[in-house]
């Protein structure tokens, strides 16, 4: 049986780890996984752990000599970028090297909610600019969006019993409008499994693909969590005007402190919430309108983790949180 060679940038991140785990678990097709990491990060514990799981970890300077990067990618079938949102410029030399090396498919850093290409979320515009560049150089691509994670959807329980799963930056989630805006959701663990299916599928080459597991409103999220936890959750509703004002305020703080990571994350969080919680951009219908293939049509046999099962795992202490480092 042939093996598909996949190089991943950002393998140590949340999305990257999900993808790596899914590729290593895949029996058909079989994947050989190579993690490209910064030279100064090669000895970090997270890379040692990747090696212990069968990943080949390779030092790669995306801003270094192009011929060295081309050499690293020669013989690679698929390149997956899980690059951090603040480093999207590094995708350009990565794409140039992938093109020169004859890579068969390039998956850029996306893997999140469906957002209009322009005018709603600033860093989504940068992703679109990169996408147009890949098309300009005729690099074979697949663009994948994979829903809002269950792990970011959980409201805080009044008892505090799941606080250990929430990142230090986690805020009590507001509810958009009257709570009836639907959004496509997926368990982070399933995101990697979707990617493993998509990159093996010839139908998805040079296409945008929307994969997700369930469609929930925030009201339904709260009802499920209340029903399974036995706790009554407070609800804080936000109007469109309030959400827009929150974006303006976060933008002003970021302009005062343009390099402060907390200011960047607050600005992004407010823009993302406005997109999925107010505008309702993150739906299968909007994805279809924007030209995405629907993962439900492509993979009707995909067995995903349901949101209810995820919440049960949370309450039973069987899962870990995200972005806790």
């Amino acid at each position: 049986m042939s093996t598909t060679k996949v190089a991943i940038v950002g393998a140590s991140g949340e999305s990257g780890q999900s993808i790596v785990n899914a590729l290593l678990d895949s029996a058909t097709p079989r994947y050989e996984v190579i993690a490209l990491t910064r030279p100064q990060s090669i000895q970090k514990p997270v890379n040692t752990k990747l090696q212990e799981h069968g990943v080949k970890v390779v030092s790669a300077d995306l801003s270094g000599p192009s011929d060295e990067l081309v050499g690293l990618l020669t013989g690679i079938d698929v390149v997956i970028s899980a690059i951090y949102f603040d480093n999207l410029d590094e995708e350009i030399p990565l794409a140039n090297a992938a093109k020169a090396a004859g890579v068969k498919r390039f998956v850029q850093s996306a893997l999140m909610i469906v957002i209009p290409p322009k005018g709603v979320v600033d860093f989504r515009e940068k992703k679109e600019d990169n996408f147009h560049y890949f098309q300009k150089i005729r690099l074979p691509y697949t663009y994948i969006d994979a829903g809002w994670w269950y792990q970011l959807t959980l409201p805080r329980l009044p008892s505090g019993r799941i606080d250990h799963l929430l990142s230090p930056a986690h805020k009590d989630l507001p509810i958009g409008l009257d709570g009836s805006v639907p959004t496509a959701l997926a368990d982070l663990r399933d995101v990697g499994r979707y990617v493993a299916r998509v990159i093996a599928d010839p139908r998805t080459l040079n296409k945008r693909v929307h994969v997700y597991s369930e469609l929930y409103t925030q009201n339904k999220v709260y009802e499920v969590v209340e029903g399974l936890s036995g706790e009554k959750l407070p609800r804080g509703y936000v109007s469109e005007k309030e959400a827009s004002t929150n974006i303006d305020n976060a933008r002003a703080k970021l302009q005062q402190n343009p390099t402060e990571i907390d200011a960047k994350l607050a600005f992004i969080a407010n823009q993302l919430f406005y997109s999925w919680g107010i505008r309702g951009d993150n739906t299968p219908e909007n994805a279809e309108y924007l030209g995405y293939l629907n993962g439900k049509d492509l993979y009707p046999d995909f067995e995903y983790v349901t949101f209810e099962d995820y919440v049960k795992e949370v309450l039973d202490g069987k899962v870990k949180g995200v972005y806790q480092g």
Side-chain angles (χ1 to χ4, degrees), residues 38 55 60 82 85 112 133-134 143 148 151 168 178 180 197 219 222 240 262 278 289 305 316-317 319:
R38 299 176 187 275
V55 176
F85 76 91
M112 60 174 311
Y133 181 80
F134 307 149
Y143 187 101
W148 190 248
Q151 287 79 357
D178 63 354
S180 64
R197 291 287 293 269
N219 284 339
Y222 275 61
E240 180 174 0
D262 286 346
I278 301 293
Y289 167 74
V305 177
D316 289 340
V319 294

Side-chain angles (χ1 to χ4, degrees), residues 20-40:
V20 167
N21 290 338
L23 296 181
L24 294 178
D25 288 343
S26 174
T28 307
R30 294 181 60 85
Y31 292 104
E32 177 182 342
V33 183
I34 300 94
L36 305 185
T37 189
R38 299 176 187 275
Q40 62 269 33

Side-chain angles (χ1 to χ4, degrees), residues 100-243:
V103 167
K104 299 172 185 175
R105 189 189 300 243
F106 185 94
V107 179
Q108 75 176 97
S109 177
L111 302 170
M112 60 174 311
I113 63 174
V114 175
I115 308 169
K118 299 286 184 179
V120 179
V121 175
D122 286 18
F123 77 83
R124 175 65 180 83
E125 299 189 7
K126 178 59 180 174
K127 290 174 185 279
E128 192 70 10
D129 290 341
N130 285 4
F131 175 72
H132 290 161
Y133 181 80
F134 307 149
Q135 289 186 313
K136 185 183 79 171
I137 64 174
R138 298 180 184 175
L139 177 66
Y141 70 88
T142 302
Y143 187 101
I144 307 171
D145 275 325
W148 190 248
W149 302 344
Y150 295 166
Q151 287 79 357
L152 299 176
T153 304
L154 282 179
R156 189 185 301 276
L157 293 178
S159 66
R161 63 192 283 201
I162 65 170
D163 281 3
H164 65 286
L165 293 176
L166 306 177
S167 71
H170 189 96
K171 304 293 184 183
D172 290 326
L173 295 173
I175 298 177
L177 305 180
D178 63 354
S180 64
V181 178
T183 193
L185 302 175
D187 190 297
L188 173 58
R189 295 166 294 180
D190 282 337
V191 171
R193 295 176 59 234
Y194 281 122
V195 171
R197 291 287 293 269
V198 170
I199 65 173
D201 189 344
R203 297 173 296 176
T204 63
L205 186 62
N206 299 328
K207 302 292 184 181
R208 297 182 192 247
V209 184
H210 180 223
V211 289
Y212 72 100
S213 296
E214 300 199 283
L215 193 67
Y216 263 58
T217 65
Q218 286 184 282
N219 284 339
K220 187 176 179 182
V221 165
Y222 275 61
E223 289 165 6
V224 167
V225 174
E226 285 181 335
L228 294 174
S229 69
E231 297 188 35
K232 184 67 175 178
L233 303 178
R235 286 164 165 77
Y237 295 92
V238 175
S239 69
E240 180 174 0
K241 182 178 180 180
E242 288 170 323

